[in-house]
Amino acid sequence: MTSIHSVGIVGARGHTGAELIALIAGHRHLQLAFVSSRELAGQPVADHVGAYRGALCYERLDHEAVAAKRADAVVLALPNGKSGELVAAIDAAAPQTLIVDLSADHRFDSSWYYGLPELTRARYRGERRIANPGCYATAMQLAIAPLLEELAGPPQCFGVSGYSGAGTTPSDRNDPDKLRDNLMPYALVDHVHEREVSRQLGVPVEFMPHVAPHFRGITMTVNLWLREAMTRDAVRARYLERYAGEPLLRVVDEAPWVSAIAHRHEVEIGGFAVAPGGRRVVVVATLDNLLKGAATQALQNLNQALGLDEFEGIVR
């Protein structure tokens, strides 16, 4: 009989935290141990996440209190730059705790496993510190990886995200009034996800992010120059072969629409437009930034590290 593993979430007020609570609530082998949020402290979790039926309330926990909970796993859903002291507290008091960090704080730390399972699961060696990839970075890597060895130059990636990707702290990029009838470019060079993908794939990547008026979902249009010409059929076959047997990767013929991916765990990759001459290919990937771009991927990583089926609680 598979045991029940306790999981705590720190930073549970945000959109991703709510998605994680819902996923864990529906998981046969995971149980929420605590949910930490300064803003919602004292309020019942069930009042904010309809999928959760338990009695837990949000708590305001300092770093030592989180470590003292001694949950089997802790998921950090904090803004970038906020996880270091908390990880240090857990390292000191409960080093056996599994930590999955959703921020960018440990994606560049080689002592942490980088958990994009479809590309990195074969490299997992039992690490208890897992860096969850960025949402844009997940879309870029999955769109580029099947043709990585054929590239003649840096991939150019035009990304458009729903405004949930900007988090819950008010800003221009999550203000529906400012986004209405608008497309908002930002951080057009040296975005953290550009550096993340360049590091992981080992090639320079050029990334131009934008925010659109829809709430959730990413469209990533990737321009790839190849060393040798390929036909559209050969390109599509390369993706089908690379992602065969991956339940969360769907290779489709036409360019996928972001409206079709909301609230779904999968990534869709398609389009496969080949310019005359066969050396320029454009591929489109879509995913839900709150799910496969964050919470779903965190659950894949939790499952793998806890010895469960990677897709438990995701694929039914």
Side-chain angles (χ1 to χ4, degrees):
M1 180 178 178
T2 304
S3 59
I4 302 298
H5 302 275
S6 59
V7 181
I9 302 174
V10 180
R13 170 179 173 263
H15 303 306
T16 298
E19 297 289 351
L20 266 170
I21 291 167
L23 284 174
I24 292 169
H27 197 295
R28 295 183 300 167
H29 305 301
L30 301 181
Q31 184 175 47
L32 277 174
F34 65 88
V35 285
S36 175
S37 169
R38 291 178 300 174
E39 294 85 352
L40 300 179
Q43 299 181 36
V45 175
D47 286 356
H48 294 268
V49 182
Y52 178 73
R53 298 286 188 267
L56 280 179
C57 290
Y58 294 96
E59 298 179 80
R60 181 175 184 143
L61 301 172
D62 63 21
H63 302 331
E64 289 69 26
V66 170
K69 291 282 188 177
R70 295 190 177 271
D72 296 322
V74 174
V75 180
L76 307 182
L78 295 166
N80 293 343
K82 300 294 185 181
S83 69
E85 292 182 0
L86 178 50
V87 170
I90 295 173
D91 283 344
Q96 76 284 358
T97 303
L98 171 66
I99 301 176
V100 178
D101 186 2
L102 272 63
S103 80
D105 290 2
H106 296 97
R107 294 176 194 156
F108 300 88
D109 185 339
S110 58
S111 69
W112 285 56
Y113 165 71
Y114 182 82
L116 205 174
E118 289 79 8
L119 300 183
T120 69
R121 70 166 69 91
R123 303 203 299 262
Y124 182 69
R125 297 292 183 268
E127 293 92 343
R128 306 296 286 175
R129 303 290 180 263
I130 299 175
N132 218 59
C135 51
Y136 279 130
T138 296
M140 281 189 273
Q141 289 176 81
L142 292 172
I144 295 167
L147 291 177
L148 182 61
E149 303 304 319
E150 312 301 329
L151 295 178
Q156 296 98 32
C157 305
F158 182 91
V160 180
S161 175
Y163 62 86
S164 60
T168 55
T169 301
S171 73
D172 287 353
R173 289 189 286 119
N174 58 19
D175 184 333
D177 289 331
K178 291 182 179 177
L179 286 167
R180 187 176 297 114
D181 301 321
N182 194 12
L183 185 65
M184 192 177 292
Y186 70 101
L188 296 175
V189 296
D190 200 38
H191 189 287
V192 64
H193 291 174
E194 177 178 280
R195 288 182 271 120
E196 177 183 344
V197 175
S198 297
R199 173 185 171 92
Q200 292 299 321
L201 295 184
V203 299
V205 173
E206 299 166 357
F207 173 47
M208 296 145 286
H210 298 70
V211 179
H214 61 276
F215 179 70
R216 60 196 301 155
I218 283 173
T219 299
M220 185 65 62
T221 303
V222 180
N223 187 73
L224 303 168
W225 282 95
L226 310 181
R227 289 179 289 122
E228 303 289 340
M230 293 181 70
T231 66
R232 185 182 191 278
D233 286 345
V235 169
R236 186 172 182 273
R238 183 70 65 88
Y239 282 77
L240 286 167
E241 178 183 12
R242 179 64 180 79
Y243 296 131
E246 292 288 355
L248 301 186
L249 269 290
R250 297 187 64 235
V251 177
V252 297
D253 195 50
E254 300 299 322
W257 289 7
V258 71
S259 59
I261 207 70
H263 302 285
R264 286 174 45 192
H265 299 292
E266 300 91 351
V267 180
E268 288 193 342
I269 302 177
F272 307 118
V274 178
R279 293 186 56 237
R280 178 184 170 226
V281 176
V282 180
V283 178
V284 179
T286 59
L287 57 76
D288 187 316
N289 55 297
L290 302 179
L291 291 176
K292 181 56 177 165
T296 299
Q297 195 138 260
L299 188 54
Q300 287 178 266
N301 286 316
L302 284 170
N303 282 335
Q304 182 179 43
L306 293 171
L308 305 171
D309 182 277
E310 182 185 314
F311 303 102
E312 180 69 40
I314 301 168
V315 177
R316 293 178 174 84

